[in-house]
Amino acid sequence: MNKSAKILFVGDIVGGLGKRTLLGLLPTLRERFALDFVVANGENIAGGMGITPKLADQLFAGGVDVITLGNHTYRQREIYAYLDERREILRPANFLRSQPGHGWCVVGRGGVRLGVVSLSGNLFMDAGRPLFAEADAALHALKGEADHVLVDMHAEATSEKVGIGWYLDGRVTAVVGTHTHVPTADARVLPGGTAYVTDVGMTGPRGGVIGVKRELAIEAMSTKMPIRFETSNVDPWLNAVLITASAQPLRAETIEQLLLPAAT
Ligand SMILES: [Fe+2]
Ligand SMILES: [Fe+2]
């Protein structure tokens, strides 16, 4: 059976402006690219920090199939129970088992099963368990359960992201990097057939400093004094990648960057 599919992966949604940017563009993108699956990183959607059940529900209602998270997962206490209850929202699989939530899920459309895995880097990040071993464990758990697998690699260090890309090449459909909020220019299909990009970027205000009002970020950096950050509302863009999953399971045909200003 033909297992090809079009997957849109959306980089970290920052604040209400990022949410409106995505939900405003999604109907057009769905039609234009005949999207089968939409996966979005939502770790910054609640005013830059974390996510609430209400915001997650809005993303699901707007057409997002799976929400991935990262180091900001637990900023909003009200999400804890939701993370245990709702299958399609993921925190990194290599967090401690005692922490709320789970790290992978499977969604289906048109006879194609897409597994999604959330992972956190260990370098300069606070994930409680080792990245590479837990990536293996997640793939083992998904064996036979999914036709395609997309991994959200949420990490600070580009070296660690490139490393996991090579480690998983030929074993998953796509490895897409998140967290640094700045898109990288290295999207490609690796020799083993895995679509890869070091960072997808963010969906939010390009006129700030990775989502924060630029005057506040600059003040904090220049004075070395604590500043209460607010999200910027200047120049919202969608940063995403479009992946064409191959007819053959666990392989990709193409990966293409989508960097688009918000619909006006
Ligand atoms: Fe983020
Ligand atoms: Fe992050």
Side-chain angles (χ1 to χ4, degrees), residues 169-186:
D169 183 26
R171 298 164 65 195
V172 300
T173 309
V175 176
V176 291
T178 57
H179 176 69
T180 62
H181 292 201
V182 178
T184 56
D186 60 342

Side-chain angles (χ1 to χ4, degrees), residues 19-84:
K19 179 190 72 179
R20 291 190 296 279
T21 301
L22 170 62
L23 296 182
L25 286 167
L26 197 48
T28 314
L29 296 177
R30 183 178 295 285
E31 194 174 298
R32 184 157 119 209
F33 297 114
L35 299 177
D36 297 293
F37 298 102
V38 179
V39 182
N41 186 298
E43 71 149 5
N44 306 108
I45 196 169
M49 289 189 286
I51 189 166
T52 63
K54 184 179 165 193
L55 290 165
D57 285 340
Q58 287 175 3
L59 290 182
F60 288 131
V64 174
D65 297 297
V66 179
I67 300 169
T68 54
L69 298 168
N71 52 303
H72 292 297
T73 296
Y74 302 119
R75 291 294 190 121
Q76 311 291 332
R77 204 164 265 281
E78 47 191 308
I79 201 68
Y80 295 4
Y82 190 99
L83 292 175
D84 286 327

